[in-house]
mmCIF file of all heavy atoms in Angstrom:
data_model
loop_
_atom_site.group_PDB
_atom_site.id
_atom_site.type_symbol
_atom_site.label_atom_id
_atom_site.label_comp_id
_atom_site.label_asym_id
_atom_site.label_seq_id
_atom_site.Cartn_x
_atom_site.Cartn_y
_atom_site.Cartn_z
ATOM 1 N N TYR A 706 28.038 11.915 -17.515
ATOM 2 C CA TYR A 706 28.132 12.177 -18.941
ATOM 3 C C TYR A 706 28.238 10.796 -19.679
ATOM 4 O O TYR A 706 28.699 9.873 -19.033
ATOM 5 C CB TYR A 706 29.410 13.011 -19.232
ATOM 6 C CG TYR A 706 29.344 14.373 -18.774
ATOM 7 C CD1 TYR A 706 30.069 14.734 -17.554
ATOM 8 C CD2 TYR A 706 28.561 15.423 -19.358
ATOM 9 C CE1 TYR A 706 30.038 16.024 -16.923
ATOM 10 C CE2 TYR A 706 28.544 16.686 -18.766
ATOM 11 C CZ TYR A 706 29.319 16.967 -17.674
ATOM 12 O OH TYR A 706 29.278 18.226 -16.992
ATOM 13 N N VAL A 707 27.739 10.804 -20.807
ATOM 14 C CA VAL A 707 27.813 9.609 -21.710
ATOM 15 C C VAL A 707 29.194 9.676 -22.377
ATOM 16 O O VAL A 707 29.442 10.488 -23.221
ATOM 17 C CB VAL A 707 26.722 9.462 -22.641
ATOM 18 C CG1 VAL A 707 27.000 8.192 -23.516
ATOM 19 C CG2 VAL A 707 25.376 9.441 -21.874
ATOM 20 N N ALA A 708 30.136 8.770 -21.915
ATOM 21 C CA ALA A 708 31.471 8.741 -22.639
ATOM 22 C C ALA A 708 31.466 8.076 -23.982
ATOM 23 O O ALA A 708 30.774 6.990 -24.216
ATOM 24 C CB ALA A 708 32.522 8.052 -21.697
ATOM 25 N N GLU A 709 32.227 8.656 -24.968
ATOM 26 C CA GLU A 709 32.345 8.043 -26.285
ATOM 27 C C GLU A 709 33.634 7.583 -26.547
ATOM 28 O O GLU A 709 34.147 7.648 -27.676
ATOM 29 C CB GLU A 709 31.853 9.132 -27.374
ATOM 30 C CG GLU A 709 30.375 9.685 -27.121
ATOM 31 C CD GLU A 709 29.458 8.748 -27.639
ATOM 32 O OE1 GLU A 709 29.744 7.551 -28.114
ATOM 33 O OE2 GLU A 709 28.233 9.177 -27.949
ATOM 34 N N GLY A 710 34.418 7.179 -25.500
ATOM 35 C CA GLY A 710 35.724 6.675 -25.700
ATOM 36 C C GLY A 710 36.792 7.861 -25.565
ATOM 37 O O GLY A 710 36.491 8.922 -24.866
ATOM 38 N N ILE A 737 38.988 11.921 -22.319
ATOM 39 C CA ILE A 737 37.677 11.296 -22.530
ATOM 40 C C ILE A 737 36.781 12.334 -23.236
ATOM 41 O O ILE A 737 36.651 13.518 -22.962
ATOM 42 C CB ILE A 737 37.014 11.006 -21.161
ATOM 43 C CG1 ILE A 737 37.946 9.998 -20.499
ATOM 44 C CG2 ILE A 737 35.677 10.277 -21.337
ATOM 45 C CD1 ILE A 737 37.360 9.735 -18.978
ATOM 46 N N LYS A 738 36.084 11.685 -24.308
ATOM 47 C CA LYS A 738 35.131 12.574 -25.021
ATOM 48 C C LYS A 738 33.737 12.215 -24.652
ATOM 49 O O LYS A 738 33.364 11.109 -24.324
ATOM 50 C CB LYS A 738 35.353 12.477 -26.506
ATOM 51 C CG LYS A 738 35.173 11.084 -27.026
ATOM 52 C CD LYS A 738 35.490 10.977 -28.537
ATOM 53 C CE LYS A 738 35.482 9.496 -29.060
ATOM 54 N NZ LYS A 738 35.782 9.459 -30.545
ATOM 55 N N TYR A 739 32.827 13.301 -24.572
ATOM 56 C CA TYR A 739 31.508 13.090 -24.037
ATOM 57 C C TYR A 739 30.433 13.387 -25.079
ATOM 58 O O TYR A 739 30.631 14.435 -26.012
ATOM 59 C CB TYR A 739 31.183 13.969 -22.827
ATOM 60 C CG TYR A 739 32.182 13.767 -21.664
ATOM 61 C CD1 TYR A 739 33.188 14.592 -21.383
ATOM 62 C CD2 TYR A 739 32.254 12.551 -20.940
ATOM 63 C CE1 TYR A 739 34.114 14.360 -20.331
ATOM 64 C CE2 TYR A 739 33.161 12.290 -19.955
ATOM 65 C CZ TYR A 739 34.084 13.159 -19.643
ATOM 66 O OH TYR A 739 35.005 12.978 -18.646
ATOM 67 N N SER A 855 31.094 9.771 -15.316
ATOM 68 C CA SER A 855 30.622 9.375 -16.754
ATOM 69 C C SER A 855 30.587 7.903 -16.858
ATOM 70 O O SER A 855 31.060 7.195 -16.045
ATOM 71 C CB SER A 855 31.686 9.922 -17.754
ATOM 72 O OG SER A 855 32.836 9.218 -17.778
ATOM 73 N N SER A 856 29.917 7.531 -17.903
ATOM 74 C CA SER A 856 29.865 6.048 -18.176
ATOM 75 C C SER A 856 31.238 5.450 -18.433
ATOM 76 O O SER A 856 31.313 4.158 -18.272
ATOM 77 C CB SER A 856 28.969 5.813 -19.513
ATOM 78 O OG SER A 856 29.527 6.482 -20.669
ATOM 79 N N PHE A 857 32.330 6.195 -18.637
ATOM 80 C CA PHE A 857 33.580 5.570 -18.824
ATOM 81 C C PHE A 857 33.935 4.872 -17.526
ATOM 82 O O PHE A 857 34.741 3.830 -17.595
ATOM 83 C CB PHE A 857 34.595 6.807 -19.098
ATOM 84 C CG PHE A 857 35.970 6.240 -19.432
ATOM 85 C CD1 PHE A 857 36.308 6.024 -20.830
ATOM 86 C CD2 PHE A 857 36.935 6.097 -18.470
ATOM 87 C CE1 PHE A 857 37.518 5.645 -21.232
ATOM 88 C CE2 PHE A 857 38.222 5.672 -18.864
ATOM 89 C CZ PHE A 857 38.570 5.460 -20.168
#
Side-chain angles (χ1 to χ4, degrees):
Y706 299 101
V707 178
E709 299 281 13
I737 302 173
K738 55 184 177 181
Y739 303 112
S855 75
S856 58
F857 189 90

